[in-house]
Amino acid sequence: EKDGQGVQTRFWRWDKLATFQASATQGVKGAAGVSPQNVAETCEKLFKGHPRAETYKKLLLEMFDSFEAQKLCGGFSGSVVIRVQPFEADGRKGEPCIVKLDAGDAIEEEFQNSANVFEALPDRAARILGDAVYAKTEKGERLGAMRLELAGACWNVPELAQGSANLLSTFKDLLLYEGEQVFMGS
């Protein structure tokens, strides 16, 4: 893939033999006629013009082989929050999730805080999926990414599985809602 500055980036991955054989025999179409995902195009749409685009792309490719994604928000600090729909090697959809990309120190702190909240409120807080991943920019800046499950597990209900981003709520939204319920009840 070549970016607008003439830099060519190549991505390598090592698959188990069964995964490689499954993807090699798919041809142009995946399972059930699903077209393979153009990850480079998805990343270009997500990070176009972002100063950390190359490193964020590397972090996503470290977490997922094939995916679709949509940006939910981007902060002034350079952080980006996206909803990711990963795909298995056979083309089936994986478990959708939220990915936050930011400075390495911020991700470390967010990871620890999220783990503490989940430990205290396991039935209400989003679960961390896997470990955080880190990479350095060309200038040596350490960036990171972490994966969280979608709050409320709404994708398990067929009617909601293809819903829009407005089905997502933040922990702050939950606290405000719970506070209103307590206030209205008293």
Side-chain angles (χ1 to χ4, degrees), residues 52 55-56 59 77-79 100-112 132-137 140-146:
R52 298 173 169 173
T55 308
Y56 281 173
L59 289 168
S77 67
S79 68
K100 180 172 184 182
L101 301 118
D102 203 349
D105 292 342
I107 291 296
E108 273 187 68
E109 184 178 348
E110 180 89 17
F111 188 89
Q112 187 58 51
V133 294
Y134 300 93
K136 288 194 177 187
T137 66
E141 179 185 17
R142 184 171 166 257
L143 302 179
M146 63 182 281

Side-chain angles (χ1 to χ4, degrees), residues 83 85 93-97 127 129 149-163 167-168:
R83 181 190 189 278
Q85 174 59 68
K93 289 183 175 182
E95 182 179 333
C97 60
R127 182 177 48 126
L129 302 173
E149 72 177 349
L150 291 177
C154 63
W155 64 93
N156 289 325
V157 180
E159 297 82 11
L160 301 177
Q162 300 302 317
L167 293 175
L168 301 176

Side-chain angles (χ1 to χ4, degrees), residues 20-42:
F20 172 76
Q21 288 172 334
S23 63
T25 59
Q26 288 178 37
V28 177
K29 297 283 187 179
V34 176
S35 297
Q37 304 307 310
N38 186 336
V39 174
E41 186 177 297
T42 299

